[in-house]
Amino acid sequence: MNATSLAARQDGWRTPFVIVLCGCLIGLLSFGPRSVVGMFLSPISVENGWTRDVLSMTIAVQNLMWGVGQPFAGAIADRFGTLKVFWAGAIMYGAGLACMALPLPPLVMHVLSGSLVGLGLAGVSFNLVLACFAKLLPESRRASAMGMGTAASSFGQFVFAPLTPFLIDLFGWKVVLLIFSAVPVLIFPLALALATSPAAGIGTGTGAEKSISTTLKEAFAHPSYVYLVIGFFTCGFQLAFITTHYPTYLADLRMPAWVAGWALALIGLFNIVGSLTAGWLSARMSKRWLLVWIYFARGAAVVMLLALPPSTPLAIIFAALMGLLWLSTVPPTSGLVALMFGTRYMAMLYGFVFFSHQVGGFLGAWLGGLMYERTGSYEIMWWLSILFCIGSGLINIPIKERPVNQPIAVPAE
């Protein structure tokens, strides 16, 4: 048991149950508002006289800055502890959401809201929560806790998705955005349970303790880690494209607004099942093969959406299937990082994997708007999604599931 985990037990109130509960609530509160920004695409664009690609760029920048900020937020948390990272992230996240309610020029919107929301999420999202779980909890509880943390984030989507259209109709989109901007304040007290010391994770690596620079060189020289980084691109591409553009895609098919709301809600609901199942399976089967089949199944779901005639039942079924596969990639991916390198620099190393995810997210959100404005359709984006799923499934196959410094067993002669 590492020093921080022991300290958590000695705190008295910071039991594993409290740590997991507070971490799950942080995941819910941080991911909930972020998961429904696509519902503001049409009202903000109409209000400001913008085409869809303008706000799509802001959402894309949010994704990119989230990815850029995640390794740095992780490195700071690994080096100095997590508490101040959570608090600074909550402040920036709330300010960025508030900026979206202001009548700002497009470039200012991209820079202000894009940077603040993205960097804020780097400090409060489930990525940092999972790193805290890895450091504060016994190894026997990590896989299931990571599944629960990911599922809680999805529950945030389930809560906020059907609630958002109702609130917009009731109060108007500007008021709703301001309400959502106050939600991150609730993260302040919850973060106390996940506070880690600079010593967290020491003694859990794959050999002698290393510096940050040495760890990074070792990681990016290790083919399995590089494969994991590249493969996670697809997850971000699909998630950002669907959360940003699926509501307007359904509106273009003349489906009522409640269909989009409940579709996003069902993604969140079924993702709870998918994330918990992925966490459970990650402790019992090959993590890389779990990722392979998740990516292939995602591609098959998109093929089904394109092949069948558009209808409300199809929109709902597709949402449910994608929900099962939505963040189910996170437990095996984070588990592989911990397996390869230990938990000492878990937040930073997973942060670089997540950077790839958010580069995909940037392109998914931005290209979705751009392709629509250029072609009047999202079809190219759907087919790109299928292609990326196949590529990510294949690139995960050669990953080696063992600590980086563990020698390959040679059979005795």
Side-chain angles (χ1 to χ4, degrees):
M1 181 181 297
N2 64 49
T4 308
S5 180
L6 180 59
R9 286 178 177 272
Q10 291 173 342
D11 283 347
W13 66 275
R14 287 212 304 167
T15 63
F17 173 79
V18 171
I19 291 169
V20 173
L21 176 62
C22 290
C24 288
L25 288 173
I26 291 174
L28 185 156
L29 294 171
S30 63
F31 196 71
R34 178 63 187 85
S35 67
V36 297
V37 292
M39 293 187 179
F40 296 93
L41 181 62
S42 291
I44 293 178
S45 298
V46 171
E47 176 84 10
N48 294 308
W50 295 341
T51 52
R52 292 184 191 179
D53 56 320
V54 176
L55 193 63
S56 294
M57 173 59 81
T58 298
I59 297 173
V61 173
Q62 292 173 358
N63 280 288
L64 184 62
M65 294 307 295
W66 185 1
V68 169
Q70 197 67 62
F72 293 100
I76 293 170
D78 286 334
R79 180 66 181 82
F80 300 104
T82 56
L83 189 60
K84 291 180 181 179
V85 178
F86 275 120
W87 287 353
I91 293 171
M92 287 190 287
Y93 184 27
L97 289 173
C99 285
M100 293 183 70
L102 301 177
L104 302 174
L107 182 59
V108 178
M109 180 73 81
H110 301 335
V111 174
L112 269 184
S113 180
S115 298
L116 287 172
V117 169
L119 294 175
L121 280 167
V124 298
S125 69
F126 63 88
N127 301 293
L128 197 58
V129 169
L130 298 186
C132 290
F133 285 173
K135 294 182 179 186
L136 294 170
L137 297 173
E139 186 174 358
S140 60
R141 299 195 182 191
R142 285 178 197 161
S144 59
M146 287 178 178
M148 286 187 280
T150 309
S153 300
S154 302
F155 188 69
Q157 181 171 334
F158 174 71
V159 171
F160 279 80
L163 188 62
T164 301
F166 172 76
L167 291 177
I168 290 175
D169 288 341
L170 194 62
F171 300 113
W173 63 269
K174 290 183 181 179
V175 174
V176 176
L177 273 174
L178 292 175
I179 293 172
F180 287 177
S181 71
V183 168
V185 173
L186 300 174
I187 292 173
F188 274 72
L190 295 170
L192 294 170
L194 273 71
T196 64
S197 72
I202 290 178
T204 66
T206 59
E209 290 303 322
K210 303 179 179 69
S211 66
I212 288 178
S213 60
T214 301
T215 300
L216 283 176
K217 289 177 183 177
E218 184 178 65
F220 282 100
H222 188 55
S224 292
Y225 180 75
V226 175
Y227 297 152
L228 198 63
V229 170
I230 295 173
F232 215 35
F233 169 93
T234 294
C235 186
F237 183 89
Q238 279 190 322
L239 265 62
F241 170 62
I242 291 174
T243 53
T244 304
H245 296 284
Y246 195 51
T248 50
Y249 169 77
L250 296 177
D252 290 343
L253 296 174
R254 302 189 182 281
M255 295 186 190
W258 67 264
V259 177
W262 277 104
L264 291 182
L266 284 173
I267 289 175
L269 179 63
F270 279 83
N271 191 25
I272 296 171
V273 179
S275 298
L276 291 174
T277 302
W280 184 82
L281 289 173
S282 291
R284 291 164 174 80
M285 67 173 288
S286 164
K287 295 175 179 61
R288 83 177 193 280
W289 280 108
L290 181 57
L291 285 171
V292 169
W293 292 116
I294 288 172
Y295 284 123
F296 285 165
R298 280 184 172 201
V302 178
V303 170
M304 178 198 72
L305 180 71
L306 299 180
L308 298 178
S311 66
T312 296
L314 178 62
I316 297 299
I317 292 171
F318 173 76
L321 289 175
M322 286 304 298
L324 288 173
L325 307 165
W326 194 248
L327 292 177
S328 57
T329 55
V330 173
T333 300
S334 56
L336 282 169
V337 175
L339 174 63
M340 292 177 193
F341 302 100
T343 65
R344 175 66 180 97
Y345 295 112
M346 170 74 180
M348 178 185 66
L349 291 175
Y350 183 70
F352 278 101
V353 178
F354 191 72
F355 172 71
S356 173
H357 183 283
Q358 294 308 98
V359 171
F362 171 85
L363 292 174
W366 173 59
L367 283 179
L370 183 64
M371 289 295 101
Y372 181 85
E373 293 300 327
R374 296 287 178 84
T375 67
S377 168
Y378 290 115
E379 187 169 355
I380 291 176
M381 295 297 295
W382 288 120
W383 284 108
L384 277 176
S385 175
I386 295 169
L387 179 65
F388 290 151
C389 281
I390 295 171
S392 287
L394 294 175
I395 204 170
N396 276 278
I397 293 176
I399 287 176
K400 306 299 182 185
E401 296 186 58
R402 60 173 180 265
V404 293
N405 292 329
Q406 178 179 302
I408 301 173
V410 178
E413 295 184 2

